[in-house]
């Protein structure tokens, strides 16, 4: 039955697959199966839940597996798998140092048994190191995962992005999207692919991927996957200069992550909300959201995210509270370009350029392009 449930999951029929897992777990809990088969059921069930981000079931059965392993000390491979699953749950709850300790414990078990599953533990540990900003240890862990036959993508591509290798990251994301066709695999790849492609300016390509992730999330019915989809859609709208359109998605995602008790993911959403409010010139609300997200990142040890928020909370780089995008628009207007030419240069719509100009005029307290141009020259913006 566990193998049948896994096949159904991989075919995209997630509710049916999880129902079969639940039936199997009921039999295990009732003591109807042997110890070895029970261990296989536990691990297959949890792995299936992790693949489709069914956080609730994964947490429930990880706790059950822990209790079961305590009663089966001789079954070393299952003890290692239990540590991996506990590490995954620690990662979701933001207990990153505890997660690393669990992955290290799993690896100690796996090395004793030469289990190939060590690759997953190395990959999961590498992702935690990436979040903490320890990029060297992250790269080493991903390399070790590959040496054990486990492909650490797309997490490795996100590490490349953090190291400034945006084109390499985009190339890996494009390859993964072409190779993976099953919905369960796509669900794992799409969140990272959207993030990477947006970082390289591929907004148009990212939009249908975010929509696909939303469709998969609705079909699977897993809240964490729906939260990832909402976050992806919100960041696409932010990148496409539509902060008002982004905020409902980002607020939905934050609420869902908070309900799942996943503080790191919730804080990422809150930071994106702050960016959206900044783009809408609601500076006070933006600073409140960013400061709150920054405190969470600091408490969790997520240094790169904390630093990114600190940069946004720093003193305004431009006069009159102009955003970076507004300064770009103003500079082009000051050189005599029309709205259409500005839109073409910055890959925006003319409607978006008009909205930016309206915000610029309001911030500078001017009514004409000529007056805005004069301000730009007088304040060294050219």
């Amino acid at each position: 039955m566990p193998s049948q449930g896994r096949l159904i999951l991989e075919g995209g029929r997630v509710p049916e697959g999880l129902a079969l897992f639940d039936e199997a777990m009921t039999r295990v809990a009732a003591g109807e199966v042997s110890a070895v088969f029970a261990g296989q059921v536990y691990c297959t069930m949890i792995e299936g839940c992790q693949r489709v981000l069914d956080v609730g079931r994964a947490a429930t059965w990880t706790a059950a597996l822990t209790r079961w392993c305590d009663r089966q000390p001789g079954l070393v491979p299952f003890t290692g798998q239990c540590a991996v699953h506990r590490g995954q749950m620690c990662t979701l709850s933001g207990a990153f140092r505890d997660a690393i300790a669990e992955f290290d414990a799993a690896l100690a078990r796996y090395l004793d048994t030469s289990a190939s599953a060590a690759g997953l533990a190395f990959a999961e540990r590498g992702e935690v190191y990436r979040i903490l900003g320890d990029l060297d240890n992250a790269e080493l862990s991903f390399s070790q995962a590959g040496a054990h036959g486990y492909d650490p993508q797309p997490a490795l591509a996100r590490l490349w992005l953090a190291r400034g290798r945006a084109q390499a990251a985009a190339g890996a994301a494009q390859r993964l999207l072409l190779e993976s066709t099953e919905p369960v695999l796509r669900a794992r790849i799409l969140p990272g692919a959207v993030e990477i492609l947006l970082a390289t300016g591929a907004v148009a390509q990212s939009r249908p991927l975010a929509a696909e992730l939303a469709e998969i999330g609705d079909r699977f019915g897993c809240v964490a996957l729906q939260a990832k989809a909402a976050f992806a859609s919100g960041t696409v709208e932010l990148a496409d200069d539509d902060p008002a359109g982004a905020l409902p998605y980002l607020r939905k995602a934050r609420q869902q992550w908070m309900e799942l008790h996943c503080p790191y993911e919730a804080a990422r959403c809150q930071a994106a909300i702050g960016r959206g409010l900044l783009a809408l010139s609601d500076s006070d609300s933006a600073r409140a959201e960013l400061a709150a997200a920054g405190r969470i990142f600091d408490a969790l040890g997520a240094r790169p995210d904390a630093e990114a928020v600190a940069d946004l909370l720093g003193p305004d780089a431009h006069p009159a509270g102009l955003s970076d995008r507004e300064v770009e628009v103003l500079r082009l207007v000051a050189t005599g370009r029309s709205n259409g030419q500005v839109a073409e240069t910055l890959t925006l719509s003319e409607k978006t350029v008009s909205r930016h100009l309206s915000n610029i005029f309001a911030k500078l307290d001017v009514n004409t392009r000529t007056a805005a141009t004069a301000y730009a020259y007088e304040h060294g913006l050219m």
Side-chain angles (χ1 to χ4, degrees):
M1 185 176 296
S3 296
Q4 183 182 1
R6 178 181 289 172
L7 288 172
I8 291 175
L9 279 182
E10 291 174 351
R13 294 163 53 200
V14 172
E16 296 96 322
L18 293 176
L20 275 176
F21 280 143
D22 285 341
E23 181 183 346
M25 294 304 291
T26 300
R27 295 182 182 180
V28 170
E32 298 178 6
V33 299
S34 69
V36 172
F37 186 74
Q40 292 173 340
V41 172
Y42 273 120
C43 292
T44 301
M45 171 67 182
I46 296 168
E47 288 166 8
C49 291
Q50 290 284 357
R51 293 184 72 182
V52 297
L53 277 179
D54 189 336
V55 174
R57 276 190 176 92
T60 297
W61 295 119
T62 297
L65 176 59
T66 298
R67 293 191 296 270
W68 181 84
C69 283
D70 289 342
R71 299 193 299 270
Q72 314 287 337
L75 297 179
V76 174
F78 293 118
T79 305
Q81 287 173 303
C82 184
V84 171
H85 298 318
R86 285 199 304 269
Q88 291 170 324
M89 298 314 300
C90 286
T91 301
L92 282 170
S93 66
F96 297 129
R97 292 299 176 185
D98 290 343
I100 290 175
E102 292 288 0
F103 295 136
D104 286 344
L107 288 166
R109 291 284 189 174
Y110 285 146
L111 292 176
D112 287 341
T113 62
S114 300
S116 59
L120 172 61
F122 278 122
E124 294 284 355
R125 189 179 71 175
E127 175 66 355
V128 175
Y129 276 130
R130 183 192 67 81
I131 292 172
L132 294 174
D134 188 345
L135 302 188
D136 290 339
N137 271 322
E139 188 157 12
L140 176 60
S141 291
F142 288 142
S143 175
Q144 291 168 318
H148 282 78
Y150 186 89
D151 183 2
Q153 296 290 10
L156 177 57
R158 296 173 78 179
L159 172 65
W160 292 342
L161 186 64
R163 286 198 179 279
R165 300 176 57 198
Q167 292 308 313
Q174 299 281 12
R175 187 262 298 173
L176 289 168
L177 290 169
L178 289 173
E179 284 185 350
S180 306
T181 57
E182 295 177 354
V184 172
L185 292 176
R186 301 281 289 181
R188 186 175 68 88
I189 290 166
L190 285 168
V194 170
E195 179 180 340
I196 290 165
L197 292 174
L198 288 178
T200 59
V203 178
Q205 184 181 0
S206 300
R207 185 176 293 279
L209 298 178
E212 179 187 353
L213 184 59
E215 190 275 330
I216 294 174
D218 289 341
R219 191 196 322 170
F220 288 4
C222 299
V223 177
L225 190 55
Q226 292 170 346
K228 281 187 174 287
F231 180 76
S233 295
T235 53
V236 167
E237 298 304 331
L238 277 182
D240 204 20
D241 286 303
D242 185 8
L247 290 176
Y249 289 115
L250 297 172
R251 288 182 174 126
K252 174 185 175 181
R254 178 173 180 256
Q255 183 62 36
Q256 289 173 316
W257 285 123
M258 289 177 66
E259 291 172 356
L260 292 170
H261 306 290
C262 299
Y264 173 69
E265 296 293 349
R268 291 185 73 210
C269 297
Q270 191 167 18
I273 290 169
R275 287 166 46 211
L277 293 170
L278 276 179
L280 291 169
S281 301
D282 186 357
S283 299
D284 288 349
S285 298
R287 293 185 70 83
E289 296 285 0
L290 290 168
R295 288 192 292 272
I296 295 171
F297 290 140
D298 283 332
L300 298 178
R303 183 169 53 82
D305 293 281
E307 291 174 352
V309 166
D311 288 342
L312 290 171
L313 284 171
D316 290 335
H318 307 299
L322 293 172
S323 68
D324 289 341
R325 178 66 87 184
E326 287 166 348
V327 169
E328 287 181 315
V329 171
L330 178 56
R331 285 171 175 161
L332 292 171
V333 167
T335 61
R337 286 177 171 82
S338 66
N339 284 14
Q341 290 170 327
V342 172
E344 182 178 357
T345 300
L346 298 179
T347 320
L348 303 173
S349 68
E350 288 195 46
K351 181 179 178 181
T352 299
V353 172
S354 295
R355 187 177 71 244
H356 282 312
L357 272 178
S358 177
N359 290 338
I360 291 168
F361 287 174
K363 290 180 179 181
L364 302 187
D365 193 23
V366 299
N367 297 313
T368 66
R369 298 165 80 96
T370 301
T373 297
Y375 184 97
Y377 280 99
E378 289 170 3
H379 290 80
L381 295 176
M382 298 305 294

